[in-house]
DNA sequence: CTGAAAGCGCTAACAG
DNA sequence: CTGTTAGCGCTTTCAG
């Protein structure tokens, strides 16, 4: 018999639905013996609350939506796992929305579930229209950007910021400290794109070291292994004198290592490579990738906490666009970097 | 103003809620001009249906649950993406449930959402208790196992089967065809575990070629890169005469390649390595991994289709445990395998 | 401490 | 063709 209703449990226990509800949620005092009888009935019938009904009655929603370009991008699953772990204690569930980088798909998701099925929306770099996000907020479904890249430059939406400029700086300083002078940069997405802050940090560190960052080769490439591969291949062919490559993300950095291998340039003896994020793959590649680690789990937890806060707040703080900043990124040295050859 | 209700739209259009509902879902004939007015009101107010309310009234649920051990395992995201793509046209959403391989966590999920929030459950290898799954079915929430390993040996639950035995055979035949005779096997999970069929196929091919599969070194290892690394390291140290390694999954195969690199054994010149599944990483590793590709997207689509069928059927076919079989796995030769050294 | 009653937003007969 | 009516399963005042 497919799942009994609250009313059936009540009948079985000889009480009214209201009492069962009270027992279930610990509200309104209930006598000890009545409670026992109710609990027995619940156990005997195998009662389980009907989440949509509860959602309707409470005016809340039992899920949170996570918007990503594609869950198949190796960084997102780690983040999604952390989000789900943070959600579970509160009895909420995670809906994955793959936008494929298409703003229309993103908007369709927001229209369908934000505020109805999902109580709030977590946004990873999913190429969404900020106006759509603001509209979503106004309709009463809080939105949090999960990895804003520039703590000093708030986006006008609630967000968790990671100091990616610092990440770029750390990566560059590491290479410079190893004696590298001729360093190429592979920057994910186009100029002024999502990785601009990382590149700024790189440039700043170069300049601080008295190096001419303007003269350093720079290629904007898709934020994928293949993108990094192609970029590095081109760059290293044109500039065989480079001793190091800085990539704004781990996937392109891994691609760059492959390109080096295919060109017969040994990493790290002949060429050092450094990335940003420190995804699982960075640990597992050979040579293992040196990378600036970003606090993924912390960001996920902050994002969920912030979202929850906005939800509790019930929209009073709408428009305030509170920002949390994670702890700082830090360098993880592995085997893909070493002292510059003479 | 946070999302209007159907009733407000109706008032705005000067009709009753029922009419708006009819317009929305194309049921019950509605006059052209009334329809116009209703559509105008919907657009003007920015109406969006409230999914939980609809679910409650229809007695259906707007989501499907996907149970996995951890979405951070590199194979699952590819599958999850395919599932979500298959779900979207029907207006359903995907809830990710990470069980961490813990049957209790899995049961908790099933208890909470199967049949309430989720209309059905898709199960990847998540270490769930089959009794829990059958109980879930009986409560009216169809369950489909997404990657059953043995088409000839039905699990007693609806499933999509992939001929993994054949996959193991193809992998072995490939190595044998290249002249390899001393081949080590790394099998994910323990004896009689989830990868048993793959190993059987391997053994069968060995025997068919007149090789003594019993003498071939065999290590059961965790189904991870690290597991494959450790296993291969041990195996190659003990048996430096091996010329090839067969792994029942790509992650351990990649780990084996790393172990070979660390031991100074060049792949594929000195050691060939083959895996199963053909995940994205297989393409991206260096050398790129030869692997027996499994039809992931097809499996996802079949699983969704089967689940939908069971849902439409409304439980009449409960207990029938229908099985779909995907098209056959096929070998993808890349750079990690070559002729056996003399 | 427990029950009665109203309503969350939507759908689905059934009348008119 | 459109309106009326009655729920879906649960929560939540408000009385008793």
């Amino acid at each position: 018999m497919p799942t009994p209703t609250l009313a059936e449990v009540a009948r079985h226990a000889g009480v009214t639905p209201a009492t069962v509800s009270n027992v279930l949620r610990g509200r309104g005092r209930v006598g000890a013996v009545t409670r026992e009888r109710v609990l027995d009935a619940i156990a005997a019938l195998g009662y389980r609350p009907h989440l949509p009904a509860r959602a309707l009655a409470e005016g809340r929603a039992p899920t949170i939506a996570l918007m990503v370009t594609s869950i198949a991008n190796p960084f997102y699953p780690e983040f999604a796992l952390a989000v789900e772990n943070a959600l579970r204690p509160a009895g909420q569930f995670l809906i994955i929305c793959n936008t494929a980088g298409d703003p229309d798909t993103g908007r369709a998701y927001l229209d369908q579930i934000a505020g109805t099925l999902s109580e709030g929306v977590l946004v990873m770099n999913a190429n969404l229209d900020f106006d759509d996000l603001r509209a979503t907020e106004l309709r009463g479904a809080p939105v949090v950007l999960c990895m804003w890249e520039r703590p000093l430059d708030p986006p006008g939406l609630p967000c968790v910021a990671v100091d990616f400029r610092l990440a770029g700086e750390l990566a560059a300083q590491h290479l410079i400290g190893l004696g590298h002078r001729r360093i190429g940069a592979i920057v994910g997405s186009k100029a002024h794109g999502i990785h601009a802050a990382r590149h700024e940090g790189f440039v700043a560190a170069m300049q601080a070291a008295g190096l001419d960052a303007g003269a350093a080769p720079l290629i904007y490439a898709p934020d994928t292994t293949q993108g990094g591969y192609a970029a590095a291949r081109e760059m290293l062919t044109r500039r065989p004198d480079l001793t190091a490559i800085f990539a704004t993300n781990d996937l392109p950095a891994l691609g760059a290592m492959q390109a080096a291998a295919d060109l017969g340039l040994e990493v790290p003896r002949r060429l050092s490579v450094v990335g940003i994020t420190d995804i699982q793959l960075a640990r597992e590649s050979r040579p293992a990738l040196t990378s600036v680690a970003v606090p993924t789990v912390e960001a996920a937890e902050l994002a969920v906490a912030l979202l929850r806060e906005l939800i509790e707040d019930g929209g009073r703080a709408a428009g305030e666009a509170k920002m949390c900043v994670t702890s700082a990124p830090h360098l993880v040295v592995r085997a893909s970097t070493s002292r510059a050859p003479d």
Side-chain angles (χ1 to χ4, degrees), chain A:
Chain A
M1 55 193 56
T3 304
T5 69
L6 219 182
E8 300 181 294
V9 172
R11 190 154 0 102
H12 197 90
V15 297
T16 77
T19 302
V20 178
S21 178
N22 282 337
V23 168
L24 242 24
R25 35 196 31 243
R27 300 176 62 100
R29 246 132 284 299
V30 178
V33 334
T34 322
R35 144 173 287 104
E36 268 318 307
R37 258 190 321 172
V38 169
L39 290 175
D40 287 350
I42 287 173
L45 298 183
Y47 169 78
R48 305 170 310 134
H50 191 277
L51 268 26
R54 181 174 275 186
L56 180 57
E58 285 182 321
R60 318 177 82 252
T63 77
I64 293 296
L66 176 63
M67 318 280 297
V68 296
T69 45
S70 164
I71 190 69
N73 175 318
F75 171 64
Y76 297 139
E78 296 181 44
F79 189 82
L81 177 61
V83 167
E84 210 249 355
N85 285 336
L87 246 30
R88 179 157 20 185
Q92 272 187 318
F93 302 93
L94 209 218
I95 293 185
I96 297 286
C97 306
N98 297 107
T99 66
D102 173 24
D104 294 333
T105 305
R107 186 178 312 116
Y109 268 118
L110 293 172
D111 284 348
Q112 290 185 89
I113 66 180
T116 70
L117 223 204
S118 293
E119 205 172 11
V121 180
L122 257 22
V123 180
M124 286 296 298
N125 179 16
N127 202 23
L128 293 175
D129 187 331
F130 272 34
D131 288 339
D132 290 336
L133 292 176
R134 269 183 276 270
T136 302
E137 266 192 325
L138 289 177
R139 283 173 186 153
V143 169
V144 170
L145 306 183
C146 294
M147 285 241 166
W148 184 247
E149 306 242 335
R150 276 167 271 120
L152 299 178
D153 178 15
L157 282 166
C159 67
V160 173
V162 176
D163 192 346
F164 274 105
R165 187 181 194 283
L166 173 59
E169 234 175 305
L170 292 174
Q173 284 168 358
H174 172 60
L175 294 175
I176 294 166
L178 288 170
H180 293 276
R181 294 295 174 266
R182 295 180 302 282
I183 308 174
I186 298 177
V187 179
S189 73
K190 52 191 168 307
H192 312 300
I194 192 72
H195 288 171
R198 311 178 188 201
H199 185 227
E200 281 165 32
F202 169 81
V203 169
M206 291 286 275
Q207 288 172 338
L211 298 172
D212 183 0
L218 162 64
I219 295 188
Y220 292 99
D223 188 20
T224 60
T225 315
Q226 293 80 356
Y229 180 89
R233 185 141 194 151
E234 182 185 334
M235 190 178 271
L236 291 168
T237 305
R238 229 199 284 265
R239 289 285 306 272
D241 61 314
L242 294 180
T243 67
I245 285 186
F246 158 78
T248 54
N249 225 355
D250 283 349
L251 249 24
L254 292 167
M257 287 214 290
Q258 295 171 1
D262 287 2
L263 291 170
L265 300 174
E266 202 184 319
V267 173
R269 205 180 49 72
R270 174 59 186 77
L271 183 80
S272 287
V273 178
V274 60
I276 291 182
T277 309
D278 192 27
I279 60 178
Q280 280 178 24
L281 278 181
R283 271 185 274 305
E284 300 186 356
S285 73
R286 286 307 143 111
L289 180 68
T290 293
S291 184
V292 178
V294 155
T296 306
V297 173
E298 183 191 357
E301 289 168 350
L302 286 175
V304 169
L306 177 52
L307 189 59
R308 219 177 273 310
E309 201 178 297
L310 293 170
I311 290 167
E312 300 316 330
D313 179 81
R316 273 185 296 284
E320 277 193 34
K322 180 170 172 184
M323 179 167 84
C324 304
V325 182
T326 67
S327 57
H330 65 277
L331 181 71
V332 178
V333 179
R334 295 209 183 83
S336 70
T337 50
S338 69
R339 288 213 65 78
D342 316 292

